Amino acid sequence: MPRYYNLQAILEKVRSRNPSSEFVIANVILPTFDPVYAQQLTLSMQELATVNEAKFIPSLLEGIAGVKEYTQADLINPNAKGQVMVADKMWKVLKPILKDLYQQDINASQAAAIR
């Protein structure tokens, strides 16, 4: 059982209502995190993804957080350039999921039309 029971409970509730749900776990590691904590968090999120058959993004803000060009003044929250980078990382994971769901929908529609 993953360490983050609250997140696990949320995923279980969603899956109980919609068994075909697809999940993406996006890990956020900040440059200010203690390296040991960052490693433990990554392992926990990876475990959460594995247990729930979810796609896993190991570090959503890697190359963004802490980089002045891509963040707001706090060096954490992405600015417009950083948001594009986050969107690109998410899209790489979401695109195949959405493509597969779209194909399943097309197949179901075609099967229904044949009946």
Side-chain angles (χ1 to χ4, degrees):
M1 175 67 104
R3 291 183 189 168
Y4 293 87
Y5 304 107
N6 55 341
L7 296 175
Q8 181 61 40
I10 292 167
L11 297 176
E12 287 172 3
K13 190 168 194 168
V14 169
R15 183 131 312 132
S16 73
R17 292 184 180 177
N18 186 352
S20 63
S21 295
E22 297 278 345
F23 299 117
V24 175
I25 306 293
N27 196 33
V28 176
I29 300 296
L30 300 177
T32 56
F33 285 2
D34 174 77
V36 173
Y37 173 74
Q39 183 180 22
Q40 290 172 344
L41 178 62
T42 299
L43 291 173
S44 294
M45 293 297 108
Q46 193 168 28
E47 179 186 9
L48 187 70
T50 300
V51 166
N52 291 282
E53 298 178 4
K55 302 295 183 202
F56 180 62
I57 301 172
S59 185
L60 186 62
L61 295 179
E62 183 176 16
I64 301 167
V67 180
K68 195 173 189 175
E69 181 181 352
Y70 303 125
T71 56
Q72 297 177 34
D74 62 8
L75 295 177
I76 295 171
N77 292 291
N79 61 19
K81 287 182 182 177
Q83 289 173 12
V84 169
M85 295 171 70
V86 169
D88 286 344
K89 288 182 180 191
M90 290 297 298
W91 185 241
K92 286 178 186 172
V93 176
L94 290 174
K95 184 178 179 180
I97 293 169
L98 295 173
K99 198 174 188 180
D100 186 47
L101 290 172
Y102 175 74
Q103 190 59 52
Q104 288 174 24
D105 190 45
I106 293 294
N107 293 343
S109 296
Q110 289 173 344
I114 294 171
R115 294 182 201 148

